[in-house]
Every structure is written in C-alpha cells, then in structure tokens.
Amino acid sequence: MELRKYSGSEMKDITELFYQTVHTVNAADYNREQLDAWASGDVDAAEWDRSFREHVTYVAVDQTLGAEVITGFADMDWSGYLDRLYVHRDYLRQGIASALCSRLEEEVDSDRYITHASITARTFFEKRGYRVVKEQQVERNGVWLKNYVMEKRKC
C-alpha cells in the first residue's frame, strides 16, 4: 500500500469506492433508505474536487496486481476536522484507514481532531483515542441517520 496526495485524476474511482463502501460496509448499521440517502450515486464531483483541494487529502493505492487500485481515501481541513474516510470493501482490516488517519493527523497541526463518525466507524475511532462528544441525527436527502461527533485531543 502506498499513500499519496490527491491529484484529481482519481475522482471517478473515489466516488465509486464511496458508493460501494457505504452500501456494503455500512449496511449492517443502516437500512436501505438511509444508505441510498447517504450515497445516492450522484456525487457532485466538482464540489468534492474543490473540497479535496482545499483540505489535506490522501488516497491509498495498491499496485501489487500491476494496475493501480484506489483502496481508500481521506481528507481533513486545516482546523483538524476529518471530513471523509472510506476504505474499499475488499481492503478492510489491512491498516489502510489507520494509515490515512495517522498521515492526516501528522500533517495537520491541531490541538484536537474532530469527525462525525458513522455507527460503523465509531469503534475504529475509539481505538484511535477519539471519544464521543455527542450522538446526533443528521438529515440526508430527507432521511435521518444517526452518527457521532467524536474528538481526539492532542497530548
């Protein structure tokens, strides 16, 4: 696995990874209506690209089979807000999410890091030292989803 800065050329792979991850990995914790509202398959690629370029954004790639495969991506703004973190469903539990988070936390100098973690991701973040600040319901396309505001203070 290699981590590299986001370049923009991988947007199609990133949006496909996002859709597939939400609809498979998160399916144990959210119902079909919630999954469709969260990841409808209609991402505003220009808006995501703008956001990725304003944030610190990394992609994880695997080149072991000869062709580059995007295995994960994550972005954090300069205040320490971790906006997106997704790992390809076929590459889970291989340290990709941890590597992406570590890289972002190293690069963004903040006293605390904050994220809005899904039910699925809560345990991952707790193992990284994040704590739940509050549980919340967020609306996506007219559908309510539960997630957690979590933070990690720098020691």
Side-chain angles (χ1 to χ4, degrees), residues 36 59 64 71 77 82 90 150:
D36 288 342
V59 295
T64 57
T71 59
D77 73 15
L82 176 62
D90 295 336
M150 300 185 75

Side-chain angles (χ1 to χ4, degrees), residues 64-122:
T64 57
L65 299 176
E68 182 175 277
V69 175
I70 304 292
T71 59
F73 68 94
D75 67 303
M76 181 179 281
D77 73 15
W78 290 101
S79 74
Y81 174 67
L82 176 62
D83 193 359
R84 288 162 284 224
L85 171 64
Y86 292 92
V87 174
H88 190 289
R89 64 184 180 192
D90 295 336
Y91 291 84
L92 297 174
R93 293 174 183 76
Q94 296 182 26
I96 295 167
S98 292
L100 286 164
C101 276
S102 292
R103 180 67 60 88
L104 293 173
E105 290 171 4
E106 289 167 9
E107 192 161 332
V108 175
D109 186 26
S110 181
D111 291 337
R112 70 181 185 145
Y113 301 101
I114 297 175
T115 194
H116 292 193
S118 67
I119 297 167
T120 313
R122 177 181 173 173

